[in-house]
């Protein structure tokens, strides 16, 4: 039983570490995308083309496979409010902002 408990504890620690790392990475990516939106879109487009050349298909939130350049990636250019701030102000999503509810 002691071996099982050790494995379980190690798995739990790893899961917590990975979750925290992914959250921090997501926050950093959001900040970079907001500070350098044109460069972010260029790099994202290069990655999409590379993936599609390798037979991988990208899906947007509606399930469509093509990217629409008129849509803001992480920010809305017509509104200075970031998408995360919009989600925080949205009463419908109040309990599940970014999946951290």
């Amino acid at each position: 039983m002691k071996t099982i408990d050790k494995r379980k504890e190690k798995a739990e620690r790893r899961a917590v570490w990975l979750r925290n790392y992914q959250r921090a990475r997501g926050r950093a990516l959001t900040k970079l995308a907001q500070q350098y939106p044109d460069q972010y879109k260029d790099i994202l487009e290069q990655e999409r083309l590379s993936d599609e050349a390798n037979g991988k298909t990208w899906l947007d939130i509606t399930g469509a496979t093509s990217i629409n350049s008129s849509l803001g990636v992480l920010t809305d250019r017509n509104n200075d409010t970031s998408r995360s701030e919009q989600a925080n102000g949205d009463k419908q999503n109040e309990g599940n902002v970014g999946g951290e509810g």
Side-chain angles (χ1 to χ4, degrees):
M1 288 296 217
K2 194 171 187 176
T3 305
I4 294 172
D5 290 340
K6 282 185 179 182
R7 279 193 250 163
K8 185 177 176 183
E9 287 177 21
K10 186 174 182 177
E12 288 172 353
R13 281 195 310 270
R14 173 73 177 147
V16 168
W17 178 88
L18 185 59
R19 184 190 68 217
N20 290 339
Y21 171 78
Q22 289 173 337
R23 285 180 181 170
R25 185 175 177 211
R27 286 190 304 269
L29 179 59
T30 300
K31 288 178 185 178
L32 285 171
Q34 290 171 346
Q35 290 175 1
Y36 305 101
D38 295 330
Q39 292 88 342
Y40 176 79
K41 286 180 184 179
D42 290 343
I43 292 170
L44 191 63
E45 180 67 15
Q46 291 171 7
E47 290 297 323
R48 184 185 66 83
L49 292 173
S50 173
D51 281 353
E52 288 181 351
N54 292 321
K56 299 176 186 173
T57 305
W58 279 36
L59 298 176
D60 67 9
I61 198 161
T62 65
T65 58
S66 64
I67 190 166
N68 185 346
S69 61
S70 66
L71 295 176
V73 176
L74 292 176
T75 61
D76 184 353
R77 290 183 181 232
N78 296 330
N79 183 356
D80 289 339
T81 306
S82 71
R83 299 252 171 123
S84 62
E85 290 171 350
Q86 289 173 357
N88 286 339
D90 186 3
K91 296 295 181 195
Q92 185 176 12
N93 294 329
E94 189 172 308
N96 191 19
V97 175
E100 298 179 16

